[in-house]
Amino acid sequence: MTVKQLIQILSSIEDQEVTVMVRGYERGVNSIEDIIPAIENIALDVNDEWYYGRHEVQNFDHEYRDKQIVQAIILTGHNASMGSK
């Protein structure tokens, strides 16, 4: 999905005040806590294990020379506030 496609989909939602969330690790959902504005290089289709994300951030520790690399913006959610009740 591109930024343009995401904006198009979100723009079509009638109630623009609805909350956007991401799925939790095993269950539940989280609020989006960060949008990393820096564009990351992502190696596509490198992980087969069900518990890993399908794609991987390209870094200097592990190069994916035989995989397609694309640039992406990453949306993240986390449980940082869970212990502060």
Side-chain angles (χ1 to χ4, degrees):
M1 176 175 286
T2 65
V3 171
K4 182 178 180 179
Q5 291 169 323
L6 178 60
I7 290 170
Q8 199 170 25
I9 290 166
L10 293 176
S11 295
S12 71
I13 297 171
E14 188 174 326
D15 181 0
Q16 290 287 301
E17 296 300 317
V18 71
T19 302
V20 178
M21 296 194 174
V22 294
R23 293 199 177 276
Y25 175 68
E26 287 191 19
R27 290 183 47 184
V29 296
N30 288 313
S31 298
I32 294 176
E33 300 291 337
D34 291 312
I35 296 177
I36 301 170
I39 295 174
E40 298 275 358
N41 289 323
I42 306 295
L44 298 181
D45 301 316
V46 298
N47 295 322
D48 293 328
E49 297 84 356
W50 65 268
Y51 45 87
Y52 287 150
R54 185 172 179 181
H55 314 298
E56 194 71 61
V57 174
Q58 170 73 44
N59 58 41
F60 296 109
D61 296 334
H62 191 91
E63 292 189 35
Y64 299 97
R65 296 176 192 268
D66 60 336
K67 298 295 183 179
Q68 181 182 1
I69 307 295
V70 299
Q71 293 187 324
I73 295 171
I74 301 170
L75 307 179
T76 61
H78 54 81
N79 294 333
S81 61
M82 292 299 291
S84 61
K85 287 187 175 181

